[in-house]
Amino acid sequence: MDFFEVIAERHSVRKFTGEPVEQELIDRMVSAAETAPSSKNCRSSAFMIVRDRDTIAAISEMRDRGSAFVKDAPVVILVLGDETRTDLWVDNCAISATILQLAATALGLGSCWVHVHGRPRVSDDPSAGNAEDYLRSLLGVRDGMRILCAVAVGYPAD
Ligand SMILES: Cc1cc2nc3c(=O)[nH]c(=O)nc-3n(C[C@H](O)[C@H](O)[C@H](O)COP(=O)(O)O)c2cc1C
């Protein structure tokens, strides 16, 4: 697939076959995302790859809306940003996540961005906390590293 075919082909995939995704493909996606431009070349983005079924099920419960489908994804890639390196970690993460998704398409995989940063766990109930704090605790994310989004990855079922 050439570049413009990849752009045209990419769409959000929320239903996956049960087929496992080869680690080599995940590595190629992450390597591509690591080439992303970043403010002052600070390279503040980082990636956490999750394959453990119980952990993925817990990730899918981060929000009451928009994340439940993640439960059936064979792989989830968390896109993190180091806020100690730059105040533009969100911008850098967004570029990284976009490249991850385009790489998934180029490799014949489906993916979907699930937003984390700034999203409440329960809509209209701020007292229930937010998705980012929930995931930070679940995944043991160190201080200074923030989470912009999760990218669910798998072979498309439709
Ligand atoms: C910043 C951002 C946040 C998103 N958050 C979610 C989300 O939480 N859950 C979800 O199912 N899709 C989410 N998406 C996917 C969008 O719904 C999807 O990209 C949009 O509907 C366009 O469809 P397409 O990706 O198939 O072109 C998000 C996409 C972006 C760029």
Side-chain angles (χ1 to χ4, degrees), residues 40-104:
K40 297 180 182 171
N41 199 25
C42 67
R43 296 168 184 262
S44 55
S45 297
F47 308 91
M48 184 184 287
I49 297 160
V50 180
R51 287 181 177 274
D52 177 70
R53 298 274 8 122
D54 290 342
T55 308
I56 288 176
I59 290 171
S60 76
E61 293 172 4
M62 71 167 124
R63 290 168 41 196
D64 65 340
R65 287 186 200 162
S67 63
F69 76 91
V70 171
K71 179 171 59 67
D72 298 320
V75 183
V76 175
I77 304 176
L78 280 299
V79 182
L80 302 101
D82 188 340
E83 67 177 354
T84 69
R85 288 200 208 176
T86 175
D87 59 334
L88 296 180
W89 67 270
V90 167
D91 312 64
N92 294 340
C93 278
I95 299 166
S96 305
T98 302
I99 294 178
L100 265 187
Q101 289 203 271
L102 292 172

Side-chain angles (χ1 to χ4, degrees), residues 9 11-19 21 74 104-105 107-111 153-158:
E9 183 71 20
H11 61 280
S12 294
V13 171
R14 299 181 179 85
K15 287 188 180 149
F16 305 99
T17 69
E19 196 180 343
V21 177
T105 301
L107 293 167
L109 296 166
S111 71
V153 182
Y155 284 99
D158 45 13

